[in-house]
Amino acid sequence: MTLSAADLAAALAAGEVSSAEATQAHLDRIAAVDDDVHAFLHVNGEEALASAAAVDAARSAGESLHPLAGVPIAVKDVVVTQGQVTTAGSKMLEGWVPPYDATLVTRLREAGLPILGKTNMDEFAMGSSTEHSAYGPTRNPWDLGRIPGGSGGGSAAAVAAFEAPLAIGTDTGGSIRQPAAVTGTVGVKPTYGSVSRYGLIALASSLDQAGPCTRTVLDAALLHDVIGGHDPRDSTSLPDPAPSYTEAARNGADGDLSGVRIGVVSELGGEGYEPGVRASFHAALDKLTAAGADIVQVSCPSFSAALAAYYLILPSEASSNLAKFDGMRYGLRVEPTDGPVTAERVMAATRGEGFGDEVKRRIILGTYALSAGYYDAYYGSAQKVRTLIQRDFAAAFEQADVLVSPTAPTTAFPFGAKLDDPLAMYLNDVATIPANLAGVPGLSLPSGLSDDGLPVGFQILAPAREDARLYSVGAALETLLLNDWGAPLLSKAPKLEASK
Ligand code: GLN
């Protein structure tokens, strides 16, 4: 279970282990530790073992298989899976069984990756701690009293706790990268349009993007190659043929960065970032310099308005996307117990009961921002800021091949620390949100431990459609750090005792 997906795939190809054995081992691990971690909302052991058996049979029959065939995976519960409960962490969809697969799930199935189950998340992917899940929080495997990040805390924790070698997340404002940062794992938000959104339960359609949650950069590249590429079912899907990210990661792994221009974003990483986070970030920069990279300082002044713009654009789009949960078509339906059962009263009762506080807060904000008389002042201004952020990126990428920053301002915080202060919670995403607003890709990998003994995330950003640069530079930094550490960072995580 501690093997990377690439190494497990090699062991499967060499016949050292079967997919059924590997899948069973992960199911056993889930049974042993998930009462503590709570990374999963639903585990589908039978189905995973059936897919594994099919891959094993195909392999014995000499069929040519996908490189990741037989490697099990966990999928965030915001991605629809045919015949498997999908709730998006909400009571609104409790017990809902989708009639179709998301495109990325179809691709996982076609490549032969057994799906272990669905992972916990903040309700409808709103949050940075997984505390907004209607089904209770996920716990950070590094310290069960701390948050695993959010909204995709379940996927990151599953990978960090060795319950799954690979997982799928979604990132609208940082929900793949920030959980990766606080759990010592790797997370990638691809270029907007690189991975199909067909079958993702939409949060903010102009920002949402699915991507890999893994323990190594190469594993993320392998998984991106499976799920990426054009999909006619998503009108925003990029038509260009996708290059091999696996190749980019393999090329980067020699750790040579001669001539690569790395831009440090002045606005990300100063005030408000914990000293231990800054120290780990700067130590990683020194490694990059030693490996031949040219470090340049770049300024993106509009990033200071990114958070404000995001918290107008996201609630606006979310309020529209969540209007479909009305008690009429599917999901929860609550009829008022007193008075007439009219459509409007059923909708009010259903939405009142089905949505949690954070979801209601954002629906109210979004509805207000879009209302006549306020549209120009709020939504219109936010869209202008979005354009300024895109220009800042364009200017910065003239000076540098990739940009870097800490992924998140803090390490994993204790449960409850920010739950009653939405603004404090939102500030976790200050470094990840600009990429979503501009549609550019970003990767987070661990740069080491802070002075509190908890992992720190290092973020790499590349121009749109240049995701390959994330993998080559990311793999290089990973090699440099591993040479130093002598063992993967996760091996330093306190061992999780089996809870049963
Ligand atoms: N934490 C951010 C939010 O609450 C990001 C969410 C996401 O990426 N899905 O909106």
Side-chain angles (χ1 to χ4, degrees), residues 1 12 44 65 78 124 132 156 169 235 245 277 361 364 388-389 438 451:
M1 284 165 308
L12 288 164
N44 304 295
L65 297 175
V78 75
F124 289 111
H132 292 308
S235 63
Y245 300 122
V277 168
R361 174 162 30 240
I364 292 167
L388 295 177
I389 287 165
D451 40 19

Side-chain angles (χ1 to χ4, degrees), residues 81-86 93-100:
T81 40
Q82 184 170 17
Q84 296 184 352
V85 172
T86 302
L93 287 173
E94 192 164 14
W96 179 58
V97 180
Y100 70 109

Side-chain angles (χ1 to χ4, degrees), residues 76 78 121-129 132 149-152 170-179 189 203-204 207-209 307 310-311 314-315 358 362 425-426 428-429 432-433 436:
K76 189 177 180 183
V78 75
M121 54 182 284
D122 285 297
E123 184 175 5
F124 289 111
M126 299 179 189
S128 304
S129 68
H132 292 308
S151 62
T170 58
D171 191 312
T172 304
S175 289
I176 291 175
R177 289 163 288 157
Q178 183 258 9
K189 183 203 89 77
L203 170 53
L207 304 166
D208 296 345
Q209 190 59 196
L307 199 74
Y310 173 87
Y311 277 101
L314 177 136
E358 181 61 23
R362 295 201 195 189
M425 189 72 91
Y426 297 170
N428 279 284
D429 306 312
T432 46
I433 278 173
N436 300 80

Side-chain angles (χ1 to χ4, degrees), residues 170-496:
T170 58
D171 191 312
T172 304
S175 289
I176 291 175
R177 289 163 288 157
Q178 183 258 9
V182 300
T183 57
T185 56
V186 174
V188 177
K189 183 203 89 77
T191 294
Y192 184 77
S194 168
V195 176
S196 172
R197 288 184 299 108
Y198 180 78
L200 308 193
I201 298 174
L203 170 53
S205 310
S206 76
L207 304 166
D208 296 345
Q209 190 59 196
C213 307
T214 62
R215 292 190 291 260
T216 72
V217 173
L218 174 60
D219 285 359
L222 283 159
L223 184 52
H224 193 163
D225 281 340
V226 176
I227 60 176
H230 183 244
D231 177 16
R233 284 175 159 157
D234 171 0
S235 63
T236 59
S237 169
L238 292 170
D240 348 0
S244 164
Y245 300 122
T246 303
E247 207 179 294
R250 288 199 201 281
N251 289 340
D254 63 3
D256 181 10
L257 287 166
S258 327
V260 178
R261 297 171 307 159
I262 295 183
V264 177
V265 184
S266 305
E267 286 75 10
L268 306 176
E271 204 191 322
Y273 290 72
E274 284 177 356
V277 168
R278 295 208 302 247
S280 176
F281 175 68
H282 286 287
L285 282 185
D286 291 344
K287 291 247 167 301
L288 298 174
T289 312
D294 295 329
I295 308 287
V296 294
Q297 202 71 32
V298 300
S299 178
C300 296
S302 302
F303 283 16
S304 61
L307 199 74
Y310 173 87
Y311 277 101
L312 287 166
I313 292 168
L314 177 136
S316 298
E317 293 188 18
S319 71
S320 167
N321 276 325
L322 296 178
K324 62 180 166 281
F325 299 107
D326 58 5
M328 301 291 148
R329 286 167 272 208
Y330 61 103
L332 184 73
R333 176 186 173 94
V334 179
E335 296 191 354
T337 44
D338 56 329
V341 181
T342 62
E344 201 158 304
R345 284 167 49 84
V346 169
M347 287 182 201
T350 301
R351 291 165 70 82
E353 213 167 287
F355 289 140
D357 288 350
E358 181 61 23
V359 174
K360 286 177 185 160
R361 174 162 30 240
R362 295 201 195 189
I363 290 173
I364 292 167
L365 277 172
T367 310
Y368 180 78
L370 290 177
S371 57
Y374 293 109
Y375 182 94
D376 286 335
Y378 295 118
Y379 188 75
S381 305
Q383 291 291 27
K384 287 178 189 161
V385 169
R386 195 168 183 174
T387 301
L388 295 177
I389 287 165
Q390 286 163 353
R391 287 187 192 153
D392 277 3
F393 268 116
F397 283 126
E398 285 188 4
Q399 300 169 62
D401 302 309
V402 295
L403 304 180
V404 296
S405 77
T407 308
T410 72
T411 56
F413 47 88
F415 287 113
K418 302 186 181 182
L419 202 51
D420 299 326
D421 184 354
L423 216 54
M425 189 72 91
Y426 297 170
L427 277 167
N428 279 284
D429 306 312
V430 68
T432 46
I433 278 173
N436 300 80
L437 289 172
V440 307
L443 175 151
S444 179
L445 80 163
S447 60
L449 300 179
S450 180
D451 40 19
D452 55 10
L454 293 167
V456 175
F458 185 96
Q459 177 174 241
I460 306 173
L461 302 166
R465 303 172 195 233
E466 297 294 342
D467 306 48
R469 292 186 202 172
L470 303 179
Y471 293 110
S472 57
V473 176
L477 178 56
E478 186 179 55
T479 297
L480 301 167
L481 291 167
L482 273 175
N483 287 346
D484 234 40
W485 299 337
L489 190 74
L490 272 173
S491 65
K492 301 186 204 303
K495 276 218 170 42
L496 278 172

